[in-house]
């Protein structure tokens, strides 16, 4: 079965979207100084008049190091829109970002795969 309509119906985020959502929620808190002191100065802003509200992404040669938060948190944050980044209210940011994912899930799917039994139900022959 196609899962996108189910996620849209029940307002549930897919795993990868949920991961991005939580990364950006943390980065939004970081951007507006709402994280514990141990995280202060953990990331480096791109420039002094930071119009993009982005952070420098560390470049690691070893792929195992790319699983560290110091790599993937700025990367995920830099990919979202400036409009979302400029939302100062944390609850408003979370709501807008959440619905930006949900709105991308189609409420109904019609695929072209003839082997899909949801879109192309098998023909029932009546026995005489």
């Amino acid at each position: 079965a196609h899962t996108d309509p189910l996620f849209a119906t029940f307002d549930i985020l897919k795993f990868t979207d949920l991961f991005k959502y939580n990364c950006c929620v943390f980065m939004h808190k970081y951007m507006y100084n709402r994280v514990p002191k141990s995280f202060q100065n953990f990331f480096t802003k791109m420039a002094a008049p930071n119009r993009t509200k982005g952070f420098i992404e560390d470049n690691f040669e070893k792929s195992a190091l790319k699983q560290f938060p110091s790599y993937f948190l700025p990367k995920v944050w830099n990919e979202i829109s400036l409009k979302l980044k400029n939302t100062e209210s944390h609850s408003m940011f979370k709501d807008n970002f959440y619905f930006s994912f949900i709105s991308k899930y189609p409420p109904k799917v019609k695929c072209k795969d003839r082997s899909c039994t949801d879109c192309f139900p098998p023909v029932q022959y009546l026995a005489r």
Side-chain angles (χ1 to χ4, degrees):
H2 298 286
T3 57
D4 282 348
L6 295 173
F7 284 105
T9 301
F10 295 112
D11 288 335
I12 300 172
L13 294 180
K14 297 177 187 177
F15 181 78
T16 54
D17 294 340
L18 185 61
F19 177 76
K20 289 178 186 177
Y21 172 81
N22 283 308
C23 288
C24 289
V25 164
F26 176 83
M27 290 302 289
H28 185 267
K29 286 181 181 179
Y30 182 86
M31 187 75 187
Y32 292 97
N33 298 317
R34 295 180 183 129
V35 292
K37 289 182 181 181
S38 59
F39 286 105
Q40 288 179 348
N41 302 319
F42 195 75
F43 304 106
T44 307
K45 292 184 178 180
M46 284 193 176
N50 194 358
R51 287 181 249 161
T52 63
K53 294 198 176 195
F55 293 93
I56 294 174
E57 299 174 23
D58 292 332
N59 192 8
F60 297 117
E61 291 180 21
K62 299 193 183 250
S63 61
L65 297 175
K66 292 182 179 180
Q67 297 175 13
F68 282 47
S70 58
Y71 174 79
F72 68 77
L73 285 174
K75 182 172 176 46
V76 172
W77 175 257
N78 290 343
E79 292 172 354
I80 68 171
S81 72
L82 186 58
K83 183 179 178 183
L84 278 169
K85 291 178 190 176
N86 284 328
T87 307
E88 287 190 39
S89 166
H90 190 63
S91 60
M92 194 90 135
F93 171 80
K94 287 173 29 175
D95 288 346
N96 290 341
F97 196 44
Y98 177 83
F99 287 113
S100 73
F101 283 117
I102 294 292
S103 66
K104 292 178 186 173
Y105 302 157
K108 189 170 182 171
V109 176
K110 181 71 175 170
C111 67
K112 295 179 173 96
D113 183 7
R114 292 274 181 200
S115 64
C116 176
T117 57
D118 287 337
C119 299
F120 298 96
V123 178
Q124 299 288 329
Y125 293 104
L126 298 174
R128 291 188 179 198

